[in-house]
Amino acid sequence: MNTPTSQLIGQRTLAAIAFSDIVGFSALMGKDEVHTLHLVERDFRQMTDLCQKFAGKVLKTTGDGLLMYFASAVQAVECTREMQTEFAKAAKTLPVSEVLSHRIGIHLGDVFFNETDVMGNGVNIAARLQAKAEVGGICISQAIYDVVKHRLDLDVTYLGELELKNIQDPIPAYQILIPFLERSSHSQSNQKDIATKPTKINRLLTQQDFRDRQIMLNKVRNFWVEGVLETSIHDKALIELGLQTRLDAIAHPWHMEWATSDQARKPLPTGTKEINQFDSLGTGRTLLILGDPGAGKTTTLLELTRELIARAERDSELPMPIVFNLSSWQDKQSLADWMVLELNIKYQVPKKIGKVWVSDQQILAMLDGLDEVSSDRRNACVEAINRFHDEYGQTEIVVCSRMKDYEALAQRLQFQGAIFIQPLEEAQVFEYFDRLGAELEGVREMLTTDAKLLELAKTPLMANIMAIAYRGMSVTDLIKMSLSEDHVRHLFDAYIDRMLRRRPDKNYSPSKVKKWLGFLAQQLKNESQTVFLIERIQPSWLTGNARAIYATLTAIILAPIIALIVLPSSIGMLIQLIPSNTIAVADGYFKSLGGELPAFSLMLALANGLNLYVGVIAGSILLGFIIAILWGFTYRFNNTEISKTDIFIRSLACPFIVCGLGIANIIRNPLWIFLFVVLGFLSSFMIFSILEKPIKPTETLKWSWKYFKENLSAGRGIGLIFGLIAGVLVTLIDISIFLILYSLMDKIK
């Protein structure tokens, strides 16, 4: 092997160090030592030749690896990339027994050469990085990447800041993707393992992509795992749930029917976790989780999510598990579009990024609450999930639903697997309360005599609620409270009272808290929502006087603004509305004085026009307020959706009502009635249209020249048509009035 040149001995220098390692070397040596050493010698000879080709040096062997030195970071990357590419190409044609897989790590750092070895932190980091490389791949540090990123055409994936053994600070690192590596990995020895490996995404991650991914995983973990799963079971013992396969619950592409239920429904071995069942499904895994109300479906989904998040954080090529609640899905909405919208609303992910995540199949969709979709939309929702699965075949999906609601559907999910969460056995219930301690001794005694209470406790949710509501109560206390009469109602009343005592609020009495929580729950049910978000509250939630007050106050704010926006478009009408005889009167006055002052006459006319314009502004604001008040009161009695015809008629009525009240007489010119009707109609119509639309929050307001240009042509056309019609009408009216007044004055003379 090559050794360092004499010029390097005893010197400290900056170098690109590459460290290689053979995957599974010890196992191969144990199987056939002589053959393995022959393969090692063959590969090392090829690597040494390539190293010399790129002006590098093999400093030493480490048994199953090489330590290589390069003066240039670019040459180090080019050399090792060619090594791994050649090995990957050869693996396609060689027998499995003739193939060795190598990992390589590269770092740019300070090293020290002596007569027999090379040392330094640069060597240590390169050695640690090779362990982070994929099989047959290359892992490089940020220092190497910064040098080569603009000089080499690389396909890389950012791995984040890696914690390396015995290295004090985290090292940002990248994975270099090697051509032919994916196809060469499907060797015969690995074929049996492929089905159990999770789907990986083939996408290059930049630092920003990696950061976005980590933020998303952190949000899911903080809200669903730490905020829901772990807080929901705090201070309570976990219950081992029994699982059963339910293959007859899913649709098979070949329309296969099970001969007996025993073939499709098999209890899984005790201790089987949901992640084990999910992993067994193989590439493109799809799983349906079924259970009775309170059986632990969501808990099972979130436990699965917790495990998948941990995996995704360790391996950036795995998809991100993201929890969605299907209750907000709307009819005629593709699942892909809905997911992008949910990512934006629930997780604050920009729609542009959300679309990329969905289209590139970077998401592992955890879909909770199929049974919470309204019954008239549930079959359509199943169809939407199936269509999504057909279009995005590599996207893995988990769906939760109540058993009875799912069995009532005409459609079935075309999934790979389904499991049913079985009710607790009596022994499990007693074991659960035994583990909770002496404070629940009263409940345990009641369970032995009260069959209804025991049946209720076979649901994990109810058992957990009992543990909170009846903690510290004796059997005597429970009997006195007439527990046996209405178990469910009494249980929830006791639970609510216990929770309110835990966190008393001086500002709100328990009755008010119950009232508003009940109102909130009813509205969430009406809107098919399960997670309360304040930004998704709509005006339809308001009733009675609250709805009228909201409409009136909002319209009072909007009406004057809209009136002032609409008003400048009528500047042409204002010019026409200047009284025709103003200039004539001024000219006649100054001519009687023996001179002509046309400039002064023009100034007088302009002043008159400005005065009228100010008057119209003030009148429009007043008009807007009156329209707003009238509209608000009419909205008070409206509990159904307003049609476009209703909006048109009621908008047209508002300005005429105002004119009827005498507002138009302030200006003493019939022409202003026309202007007030036009402005009043436009203002009220816009208010009706705005308030009838649902509120859609936005993250930021951005100016778009693209949309400006697209709408400019349409707006120009509408404005031209409106201006021509208004100008002609006002001119004709003005001329008619002038002729009438002129004829009347002539008769008087």
Side-chain angles (χ1 to χ4, degrees):
M1 296 296 176
N2 293 317
T3 56
T5 58
S6 58
Q7 289 86 351
L8 292 175
I9 296 175
Q11 293 186 9
R12 185 177 294 276
T13 184
L14 185 67
I17 299 296
F19 199 100
S20 75
D21 180 75
I22 297 174
V23 179
F25 178 71
S26 298
L28 292 171
M29 286 289 287
K31 187 176 181 181
D32 191 336
E33 183 175 317
V34 175
H35 181 64
T36 301
L37 291 175
H38 170 73
L39 297 180
V40 171
E41 184 179 356
R42 178 201 65 187
D43 285 5
F44 280 5
R45 188 183 307 112
Q46 185 177 356
M47 295 169 74
T48 301
D49 292 341
L50 286 172
C51 196
Q52 292 174 346
K53 174 183 174 182
F54 287 92
K57 295 284 185 181
V58 175
L59 301 179
K60 67 175 183 178
T61 64
T62 60
D64 62 338
L66 295 180
L67 180 62
M68 295 166 280
Y69 156 82
F70 296 86
S72 165
V74 173
Q75 289 175 321
V77 173
E78 283 187 317
C79 177
T80 53
R81 185 169 58 167
E82 186 165 336
M83 287 177 185
Q84 295 290 45
T85 301
E86 291 299 319
F87 289 146
K89 287 181 180 179
K92 292 174 59 182
T93 58
L94 291 173
V96 175
S97 60
E98 297 293 321
V99 175
L100 293 180
S101 297
H102 302 262
R103 292 189 179 97
I104 300 177
I106 312 175
H107 178 61
L108 181 66
D110 198 36
V111 295
F112 176 78
F113 292 92
N114 60 26
E115 293 183 356
T116 59
D117 204 355
V118 59
M119 297 170 290
N121 208 39
V123 177
N124 296 334
I125 293 175
R128 301 302 182 194
L129 287 174
Q130 71 77 20
K132 300 295 183 179
E134 64 178 357
V135 177
I138 304 168
C139 182
I140 63 175
S141 66
Q142 182 76 52
I144 290 287
Y145 179 74
D146 289 339
V147 175
V148 304
K149 62 183 177 182
H150 297 305
R151 303 179 65 181
L152 295 177
D153 184 16
L154 294 177
D155 289 340
V156 299
T157 293
Y158 182 62
L159 300 180
E161 295 186 349
L162 303 181
E163 299 283 348
L164 304 178
K165 185 178 180 181
N166 297 329
I167 304 299
Q168 184 175 1
D169 298 321
I171 303 295
Y174 295 80
Q175 191 87 249
I176 296 179
L177 304 183
I178 305 299
F180 308 104
L181 185 57
E182 277 288 319
R183 284 168 285 177
S184 67
S185 64
H186 291 185
S187 60
Q188 294 178 4
S189 62
N190 291 334
Q191 283 296 327
K192 63 181 180 180
D193 298 327
I194 291 175
T196 61
K197 291 182 179 179
T199 301
K200 291 198 173 188
I201 52 177
N202 258 337
R203 187 174 183 273
L204 312 182
L205 295 180
T206 64
Q207 280 185 304
Q208 186 59 49
D209 292 336
F210 183 83
R211 189 174 294 111
D212 292 339
R213 173 187 170 88
Q214 294 303 108
I215 291 172
M216 185 72 253
L217 291 173
N218 192 52
K219 285 184 177 180
V220 177
R221 183 180 58 252
N222 287 343
F223 183 82
W224 289 106
V225 177
E226 297 179 2
V228 177
L229 175 64
E230 294 177 359
T231 57
S232 67
I233 60 176
H234 75 90
D235 200 29
K236 295 186 287 292
L238 292 174
I239 304 175
E240 189 75 38
L241 300 177
L243 303 178
Q244 180 190 62
T245 60
R246 283 293 179 100
L247 299 181
D248 54 343
I250 52 181
H252 296 274
W254 304 284
H255 304 287
M256 181 176 65
E257 298 292 341
W258 297 96
T260 64
S261 60
D262 292 340
Q263 292 178 284
R265 304 180 180 184
K266 294 182 178 180
L268 295 172
T270 303
T272 300
K273 298 294 184 182
E274 56 280 346
I275 188 66
N276 304 135
Q277 191 65 14
F278 189 57
D279 286 341
S280 68
L281 297 175
T283 305
R285 301 167 294 183
T286 49
L287 178 66
L288 172 63
I289 301 175
L290 298 168
D292 295 328
K297 301 179 297 299
T298 299
T299 298
T300 300
L301 179 91
L302 295 182
E303 287 177 346
L304 183 57
T305 301
R306 176 167 55 187
E307 177 62 32
L308 293 170
I309 287 175
R311 293 182 181 183
E313 288 177 329
R314 293 193 298 265
D315 188 346
S316 61
E317 293 186 6
L318 292 176
M320 299 173 287
I322 301 177
V323 179
F324 299 91
N325 197 291
L326 285 167
S327 62
S328 62
W329 180 83
Q330 298 297 322
D331 228 348
K332 300 179 181 179
Q333 187 179 26
S334 74
L335 197 71
D337 292 341
W338 171 77
M339 288 169 66
V340 172
L341 186 62
E342 287 292 288
L343 285 169
N344 179 251
I345 295 174
K346 303 288 179 61
Y347 295 103
Q348 298 77 51
V349 175
K351 291 183 179 179
K352 182 178 179 181
I353 295 177
K355 287 179 180 178
V356 172
W357 284 355
V358 173
S359 62
D360 288 356
Q361 306 191 67
Q362 299 182 56
I363 289 175
L364 199 164
M366 314 295 288
L367 307 179
D368 192 20
L370 176 60
D371 52 279
E372 292 167 1
V373 178
S374 61
S375 57
D376 58 325
R377 295 187 284 117
R378 211 169 288 156
N379 278 300
C381 185
V382 172
E383 291 180 1
I385 296 172
N386 287 334
R387 282 195 301 270
F388 178 83
H389 183 45
D390 289 340
E391 295 173 12
Y392 302 89
Q394 289 189 343
T395 299
E396 298 176 334
I397 309 173
V398 180
V399 174
C400 278
S401 178
R402 291 183 182 180
M403 188 68 192
K404 289 185 178 179
D405 293 305
Y406 182 79
E407 287 180 329
L409 296 175
Q411 301 293 327
R412 287 290 184 268
L413 290 169
Q414 297 173 358
F415 276 16
Q416 292 171 291
I419 56 175
F420 174 71
I421 302 173
Q422 301 187 88
L424 300 176
E425 300 290 340
E426 290 186 10
Q428 288 180 289
V429 174
F430 284 105
E431 181 185 356
Y432 170 69
F433 284 101
D434 285 340
R435 293 202 304 266
L436 292 177
E439 287 187 309
L440 289 166
E441 185 177 349
V443 178
R444 286 196 298 274
E445 291 186 28
M446 282 293 296
L447 290 174
T448 60
T449 59
D450 193 325
K452 289 184 179 180
L453 185 64
L454 179 60
E455 190 64 29
L456 201 61
K458 290 181 180 180
T459 301
L461 175 63
M462 291 301 186
N464 287 337
I465 292 177
M466 285 182 194
I468 296 174
Y470 299 148
R471 182 179 294 274
M473 288 189 179
S474 65
V475 176
T476 305
D477 294 332
L478 294 174
I479 294 176
K480 285 180 179 179
M481 298 172 73
S482 302
L483 180 61
S484 59
E485 293 180 4
D486 189 344
H487 290 72
V488 176
R489 184 176 184 82
H490 176 271
L491 176 59
F492 278 105
D493 286 343
Y495 174 77
I496 292 171
D497 290 338
R498 178 64 63 93
M499 296 305 293
L500 289 175
R501 288 199 301 271
R502 273 189 176 185
R503 296 181 181 179
D505 194 312
K506 296 180 180 179
N507 298 319
Y508 301 97
S509 64
S511 60
K512 286 187 177 180
V513 173
K514 291 180 183 180
K515 173 187 174 182
W516 288 111
L517 284 178
F519 168 79
L520 182 60
Q522 184 61 49
Q523 295 302 326
L524 289 173
K525 181 180 179 181
N526 294 341
E527 299 292 329
S528 295
Q529 298 179 30
T530 54
V531 178
F532 173 67
L533 296 174
I534 193 169
E535 62 267 25
R536 297 192 72 174
I537 293 178
Q538 298 296 331
S540 59
W541 288 36
L542 299 174
T543 57
N545 293 329
R547 191 168 184 174
I549 293 171
Y550 161 77
T552 303
L553 293 178
T554 306
I556 285 175
I557 296 172
L558 289 177
I561 297 174
I562 294 174
L564 291 176
I565 292 174
V566 174
L567 187 63
S569 65
S570 305
I571 292 177
M573 288 193 291
L574 288 174
I575 295 174
Q576 294 291 334
L577 289 172
I578 296 175
S580 309
N581 59 352
T582 301
I583 297 176
V585 171
D587 284 341
Y589 175 76
F590 288 109
K591 284 179 180 178
S592 66
L593 297 177
E596 294 184 2
L597 294 173
F600 182 79
S601 300
L602 181 60
M603 291 174 61
L604 182 63
L606 291 175
N608 187 37
L610 180 61
N611 179 53
L612 292 173
Y613 188 74
V614 172
V616 172
I617 291 177
S620 297
I621 294 175
L622 182 59
L623 173 69
F625 275 107
I626 295 177
I627 289 174
I629 294 170
L630 291 173
W631 193 88
F633 278 114
T634 59
Y635 193 78
R636 162 67 178 82
F637 303 101
N638 175 51
N639 293 317
T640 59
E641 184 178 354
I642 299 178
S643 67
K644 291 295 182 183
T645 304
D646 292 333
I647 292 176
F648 182 86
I649 294 173
R650 293 166 72 175
S651 298
L652 191 61
C654 282
F656 281 108
I657 292 173
V658 176
C659 292
L661 294 174
I663 301 301
N665 293 332
I666 298 174
I667 303 184
R668 298 179 181 178
N669 191 328
L671 290 179
W672 296 109
I673 297 178
F674 171 78
L675 182 60
F676 263 69
V677 169
V678 172
L679 294 178
F681 169 73
L682 291 176
S683 301
S684 56
F685 184 81
M686 293 177 71
I687 292 171
F688 269 85
S689 301
I690 290 172
L691 292 181
E692 284 303 313
K693 292 180 179 179
I695 298 172
K696 295 182 179 179
T698 183
E699 299 173 25
T700 56
L701 294 176
K702 295 182 180 179
W703 174 261
S704 172
W705 285 105
K706 175 185 176 182
Y707 292 120
F708 170 76
K709 293 177 182 178
E710 290 177 356
N711 291 283
L712 183 62
S713 56
R716 187 169 50 210
I718 295 172
L720 180 61
I721 294 171
F722 176 78
L724 287 173
I725 295 173
V728 170
L729 289 176
V730 173
T731 301
L732 291 175
I733 294 173
D734 191 30
I735 292 173
S736 300
I737 293 175
F738 177 75
L739 291 175
I740 293 171
L741 292 175
Y742 183 81
S743 63
L744 290 174
M745 291 175 65
D746 186 56
K747 289 180 180 180
I748 293 173
K749 291 180 180 179

